[in-house]
Amino acid sequence: MMNVLSNTAARAQEQSIPLCGPGSVHDLPHCPPGFGLNSRLNAAPLLSLHSSPRAAKPQKELSPEEQQELRRKINSRERKRMQDLNIAMDALREVMVPYASSSSSPSHSHVPGAPPGRRLSKISTLVLARNYILLLGSSLQEMRRLLGEVSIGMGVSTGPVPRLLFAGGWPLIAGPRQLLLTHESLISSAPSSSSSSSAASSSSTAAKCATVPPGPMEASLAPVHWSCVGATGVPPCPCGVCRLSRFNHSKSAPRFSK
DNA sequence: TAGGCCATCTGGTCCT
DNA sequence: AGGACCAGATGGCCTA
């Protein structure tokens, strides 16, 4: 998992010695909060917790000690938050590592699992996980199609097919505008005579997209081409994958409840 | 040595 | 009001 704790911060974390914050260098007299590694603070007001120009509501005056304590508290919280995020990332990385080990393009640093034995980067882990989920979706879609064929071939009504496989609440992609397969849509979108499976058609759709190259592992190992969606001068990719609302940077996007 | 990756600090914004 | 979340900035470490 954490096979490479390469940088100083990681080592400090391992030793429970944060670089800054409580018990860190920032607690030392020569390094008060706000005068640590961030030299940009020289240009920014130090600890403007009570003097923000846009802070309309009056805030209680804090002594330097109280400001320092508050800053420590906030830093500690943020550190904890990032550490929790890293724990979750490690858990995801642990799951995804086996699927990244077969990388065939070790040259790209964003390609998951490039050099064997090296830890997946965060972005590689996320890209790999995303593509793997899409792959699982395609597989499930193919399984649905086969089940439908078997049911029809045996003269069995399509009713008994497990409902979970038809509409299990999993947002699968049957077409560019279709996220959830229903029983009817499955029947209508899966011609039994065609030799091309739904998964194949899905991957053929993906094959037209630079973001999702053909082939399961190839797709999983594909680097992200962010320009695929909404880049200036570049028409949005029409493929089903890219039509997913992936990169909504809108500030008004609702957050998940905690 | 440049570039990638990362941890941390920090201020701003949003939510409860 | 306090906490969570986010993004920018910064500096350290590692690898090609």
Side-chain angles (χ1 to χ4, degrees), chain A residues 155-210:
Chain A
V156 178
S157 163
T158 53
V161 175
R163 298 179 63 177
L164 181 63
L165 292 176
F166 284 120
W170 192 258
L172 296 174
I173 306 164
R177 288 191 169 84
Q178 185 176 2
L179 292 182
L180 180 62
L181 285 183
T182 62
H183 186 174
E184 292 75 14
S185 67
L186 173 67
I187 298 302
S188 62
S189 67
S192 57
S193 61
S194 170
S195 60
S196 63
S197 65
S198 301
S201 64
S202 174
S203 62
S204 66
T205 300
K208 301 170 186 171
C209 172

Side-chain angles (χ1 to χ4, degrees), chain A residues 205-221:
Chain A
T205 300
K208 301 170 186 171
C209 172
T211 304
V212 187
M217 282 316 294
E218 289 84 350
S220 296
L221 299 173

Side-chain angles (χ1 to χ4, degrees), chain A residues 30 83 97 108 139 145 166 179 194 197 202 219 231 249:
Chain A
H30 71 277
Q83 286 171 358
V97 156
H108 198 291
S139 300
R145 191 191 65 81
F166 284 120
L179 292 182
S194 170
S197 65
S202 174
H249 294 289

Side-chain angles (χ1 to χ4, degrees), chain A residues 19-53:
Chain A
L19 294 177
C20 295
S24 71
V25 291
H26 278 182
D27 288 342
L28 300 177
H30 71 277
C31 186
F35 285 97
L37 301 174
N38 274 338
S39 58
R40 77 186 176 102
L41 285 169
N42 295 333
L46 172 64
L47 286 173
S48 56
L49 294 171
H50 67 294
S51 60
S52 174

